[in-house]
Amino acid sequence: MKRPTGIAILLVILIVSTGLTLGLTYAPCYASLCSEEFFPYETRVHIAVYYALLASTGCFLFLRAYNPWWHAVSTAYVTRKELPVLQKRISVGGLALSVWLIGITLATTPFWLTAEYNFWTLRADGLAWADAKVRLTVTGIIGHHTDYLLGLVLIPVSRNSVLGRVFELHQSTLLFAHKLIAYTLLAAVIAHGAAYYTFVATYGAAKDTSPKKSAFHIDNPTLNEAEMERRGYWYATTLPSGMLAFLLMALITITALPVIRRKSYNTFYYVHVISSSIIFILTSIHASTDFYFLVPGLLLWILDLGWRVSRGGAGGSRNKVIGTLESAEGGWYRITLPAGRYATSDSTAEDDVVEKQGDLDHPLQTYYLNIPSISKVQNHAFTAAKVGSAASGPVFLFQKAQPSSVKKKQKKQDNEWTWKVGAAASGLTADKTTVDSASTTPTKVEVRVEGPYIPIEASGFQTADRVVCIVGGTGLTGAYSMALWWLENRTRDARANFTLIWTVRHRETAELSEWRELEKRVSGVENMQLRLHVSFESGRMDASRTLREECSFTETLGEAVMTGRKGWVYVSGPAGLLNMAESACVDLEYELRRARRARDQSQGAFAIERLEHYVAKWEV
């Protein structure tokens, strides 16, 4: 069983959360609206169903990760084309899981309908106010559905997700799930609020002397005016806390829109983190069940935060080193960190040490770097071009962010993080014109380092017979690191082949010393090839044709060894290249799968029988 520690952690969190929340329903409640006070039985069933939903989802994901048949079925696409609005392909597993989550959430409606309707009937009894109990019943039912969504929205979110590591889920998959749940949550909150404000409208239309006014308190309709006066106005914070939470959710949604997120990631990030924290507090005040369902997500988030802070010399967020910043050729910049801080294990158990060392040897490693002299608040993710070891530290390569518009003001451009770092590397201040010069004296800077983060699901290159890297621009770094790993580990494997295809706009971009050095090292290696595609000279690369050429049958491979051969594709770079190359992979995978099922002899046109791919996609 893979990742037994992570599985144990998830089981403990699930069991502790279930027991804690059910136990809290018997303890004094400090929310402004305590569901268990009015619906003790229904509330406990509500909680039990939610945690049963989490357990069943965990079982599904476990089978997807560790059962080959289940994995093949769940990852098969319902449609090979991206849906227009979602901009995502729908897999069988994703569709099944979505139907399951929505179905179970809506399945709680019948028992809440009876309980809510009976409760509001008693409160409105004798007032001849039938529409009030209907409106409040609808409000309550939607609120209970919202409980589920609020709990689910936090679970997929963490930088080093235990969920992702245990179930081998791509970070972009987790973020996409978070995005879908968040949009559904916002819609449910709007519906919940709108339903309640239909009651507010009828409440406001009643005369001040009407018994309707004294039978309900507008800020918390579960209490009347006399009960509110006796209990205190803490219990009148139900409506204000819900309104404030909704406004913050709307703010988060607006700043998360691509047009804002891509232009000002810091604004998106800090609004997201700060507002979410406030929302969790407000919703816990709004209703007790909101906190009960937030517990597992909060525990996962606290676990992730503690892991990030406490890693220390192994790459925690408190880890500060003196790195070297310098200009490189072709408009590139290089950050080199000192050696000796990235190869130590935090565990003395032999199995854990082996697993830890396997992670450290993995060529795809992402670090979050912060340079306080440039900005104390901005953290940027970098895939290492060379991974760290006891003898040498990791090396990162980057270029200045390209302006989104030719009309962008120079001053605004100079204030961007990569341009400031470029200015520091060139020995200039940020308000001067920067230059690229390989002869510039390297600059020593303090760097706060967090990482490495390892994509567990990206391991096919270790055993694949044919590895193809299709990368563009700065997406080279991960492929470059894999090429170095291949030189150290698989050059003697006669069955295996590695191809790196790097597409750039201008040839000058490839004047990077790392690239020229790699070309020299690969020139004498039979099972490695490097290809440079300059789009300004040759036009845009056709990813589909390129991939088919790389996976086609050649005379150097005999048909006798073709059966069972597997290909693995790594894609990284600009969004356009990611989408185009991913579509090419999906189409070829479908063709190979269809050929296997039909036992089509035309399969011999390809040097592989199966194909897997990994796309370094982080945006959702």
Side-chain angles (χ1 to χ4, degrees):
M1 182 182 294
K2 300 179 181 179
R3 308 291 176 186
T5 303
I7 293 173
I9 288 173
L10 292 179
L11 284 174
V12 169
I13 288 177
L14 181 64
I15 294 170
V16 169
S17 299
T18 305
L20 175 64
T21 52
L22 286 173
L24 286 175
T25 62
Y26 294 95
C29 173
Y30 294 97
S32 64
L33 194 159
C34 299
S35 177
E36 60 266 38
E37 177 183 352
F38 308 104
F39 312 103
Y41 172 75
E42 289 80 7
T43 299
R44 291 174 188 124
V45 171
H46 191 48
I47 293 172
V49 171
Y50 174 71
Y51 285 101
L53 178 63
L54 294 186
S56 61
T57 301
C59 291
F60 170 85
L61 294 176
F62 179 85
L63 289 173
R64 176 191 177 278
Y66 303 114
N67 184 288
W69 180 86
W70 197 281
H71 183 273
V73 172
S74 62
T75 55
Y77 290 114
V78 176
T79 171
R80 287 185 288 157
K81 303 296 182 183
E82 291 185 346
L83 296 183
V85 177
L86 296 177
Q87 294 184 336
K88 195 81 172 178
R89 294 174 182 83
I90 304 301
S91 66
V92 173
L95 180 62
L97 191 57
S98 298
V99 171
W100 176 248
L101 294 175
I102 295 172
I104 295 299
T105 300
L106 295 179
T108 62
T109 301
F111 74 82
W112 276 120
L113 176 61
T114 302
E116 290 276 353
Y117 188 79
N118 292 340
F119 176 79
W120 295 115
T121 297
L122 289 174
R123 296 200 67 86
D125 193 29
L127 298 175
W129 200 6
D131 61 340
K133 59 186 178 184
V134 173
R135 297 175 194 218
L136 289 171
T137 296
V138 172
T139 301
I141 291 173
I142 297 175
H144 294 305
H145 293 162
T146 305
D147 293 339
Y148 279 44
L149 296 169
L150 182 65
L152 291 172
V153 76
L154 183 59
I155 290 176
V157 183
S158 61
R159 186 169 289 180
N160 186 63
S161 173
V162 177
L163 203 69
R165 292 180 68 84
V166 169
F167 299 131
E168 298 185 357
L169 297 170
H170 196 297
Q171 184 72 5
S172 66
T173 300
L174 294 171
L175 292 177
F176 183 74
H178 168 70
K179 177 181 177 179
L180 282 185
I181 297 170
Y183 283 147
T184 309
L185 171 63
L186 180 63
V189 169
I190 292 173
H192 177 62
Y196 184 67
Y197 273 99
T198 62
F199 165 76
V200 171
T202 59
Y203 179 91
K207 295 181 179 180
D208 292 341
T209 57
S210 171
K212 295 179 180 179
K213 289 291 182 81
S214 59
F216 298 92
H217 192 283
I218 194 64
D219 289 325
N220 185 347
T222 61
L223 304 176
N224 59 35
E225 293 288 346
E227 291 170 331
M228 182 64 71
E229 185 175 349
R230 184 172 65 253
R231 290 195 179 194
Y233 277 89
W234 168 258
Y235 293 90
T237 58
T238 305
L239 179 59
S241 61
M243 290 177 60
L244 288 173
F246 163 70
L247 292 175
L248 289 174
M249 287 181 188
L251 177 63
I252 286 177
T253 303
I254 292 171
T255 56
L257 295 174
V259 66
I260 296 177
R261 185 182 71 243
R262 291 170 183 169
K263 289 184 177 180
S264 183
Y265 182 83
N266 251 23
T267 300
F268 152 75
Y269 179 79
Y270 285 105
V271 166
H272 225 77
V273 172
I274 296 172
S275 297
S276 296
S277 301
I278 298 173
I279 287 171
F280 299 151
I281 296 172
L282 290 172
T283 52
S284 296
I285 294 172
H286 181 74
S288 60
T289 48
D290 288 337
F291 174 73
Y292 298 157
F293 292 172
L294 279 170
V295 168
L298 288 173
L299 290 178
L300 285 171
W301 181 80
I302 292 170
L303 176 68
D304 176 65
L305 182 63
W307 180 86
R308 289 169 54 189
V309 171
S310 64
R311 291 183 73 197
S317 58
R318 295 179 298 175
N319 183 24
K320 293 183 179 180
V321 299
I322 301 300
T324 302
L325 173 63
E326 59 187 328
S327 294
E329 303 84 347
W332 290 83
Y333 296 90
R334 185 183 299 110
I335 299 176
T336 306
L337 302 185
R341 301 181 68 92
Y342 314 97
T344 57
S345 174
D346 297 330
S347 173
T348 56
E350 183 177 352
D351 290 343
D352 290 341
V353 170
V354 171
E355 181 176 326
K356 180 71 176 178
Q357 191 60 47
D359 282 352
L360 289 169
D361 291 339
H362 197 293
L364 295 177
Q365 299 186 10
T366 299
Y367 291 77
Y368 286 82
L369 305 183
N370 170 264
I371 302 177
S373 60
I374 303 296
S375 172
K376 290 182 172 61
V377 296
Q378 291 194 49
N379 286 278
H380 289 259
F382 288 90
T383 299
K386 294 181 181 179
V387 300
S389 66
S392 60
V395 177
F396 308 93
L397 299 168
F398 71 98
Q399 293 179 304
K400 296 175 184 176
Q402 296 301 311
S404 57
S405 171
V406 294
K407 297 181 179 179
K408 177 177 276 192
K409 294 182 179 179
Q410 184 67 38
K411 184 176 180 180
K412 184 177 181 180
Q413 181 174 273
D414 288 342
N415 285 329
E416 290 184 348
W417 190 85
T418 54
W419 284 74
K420 285 185 176 181
V421 175
S426 303
L428 302 174
T429 57
D431 59 347
K432 296 181 180 180
T433 303
T434 59
V435 295
D436 296 322
S437 173
S439 61
T440 304
T441 304
T443 303
K444 296 294 183 180
V445 293
E446 183 183 68
V447 184
R448 192 174 69 191
V449 185
E450 183 181 335
Y453 291 95
I454 313 296
I456 300 301
E457 69 280 11
S459 58
F461 63 90
Q462 297 174 347
T463 57
D465 300 286
R466 180 154 294 202
V467 175
V468 180
C469 298
I470 302 176
V471 298
T474 55
L476 167 70
T477 54
Y480 180 84
S481 180
M482 276 199 289
L484 297 181
W485 179 90
W486 189 277
L487 285 168
E488 294 294 328
N489 295 275
R490 300 198 65 186
T491 54
R492 297 182 180 179
D493 189 345
R495 286 172 50 94
N497 186 276
F498 179 97
T499 302
L500 193 166
I501 305 164
W502 185 25
T503 175
V504 296
R505 290 185 180 180
H506 304 284
R507 188 169 296 275
E508 292 77 10
T509 303
E511 294 299 320
L512 182 65
S513 59
E514 277 84 352
W515 177 255
R516 295 199 301 265
E517 177 187 347
L518 184 62
E519 285 181 319
K520 293 178 181 178
R521 294 186 63 182
V522 170
S523 62
V525 180
E526 293 184 358
N527 68 346
M528 287 189 74
Q529 300 85 37
L530 300 184
R531 288 174 52 190
L532 180 67
H533 180 92
V534 182
S535 58
F536 186 75
E537 300 173 1
S538 306
R540 189 177 185 181
M541 183 182 69
D542 186 334
S544 180
R545 186 177 66 182
T546 299
L547 181 60
R548 285 174 175 274
E549 289 175 352
E550 294 302 325
C551 295
S552 295
F553 175 77
T554 61
E555 294 181 0
T556 57
L557 294 170
E559 292 190 35
V561 298
M562 196 179 63
T563 303
R565 293 181 64 86
K566 184 178 73 173
W568 190 83
V569 181
Y570 172 79
V571 184
S572 182
L577 177 66
L578 295 182
N579 295 332
M580 180 175 58
E582 184 176 21
S583 296
C585 291
V586 171
D587 289 342
L588 185 53
E589 286 169 6
Y590 176 79
E591 187 174 338
L592 292 172
R593 184 166 59 252
R594 186 177 59 181
R596 289 197 308 272
R597 289 175 179 174
R599 298 184 181 277
D600 191 347
Q601 295 303 316
S602 64
Q603 165 64 24
F606 293 103
I608 56 173
E609 191 178 42
R610 300 175 185 274
L611 182 70
E612 296 177 357
H613 69 275
Y614 174 82
V615 180
K617 183 186 293 186
W618 305 105
E619 279 196 305
V620 296

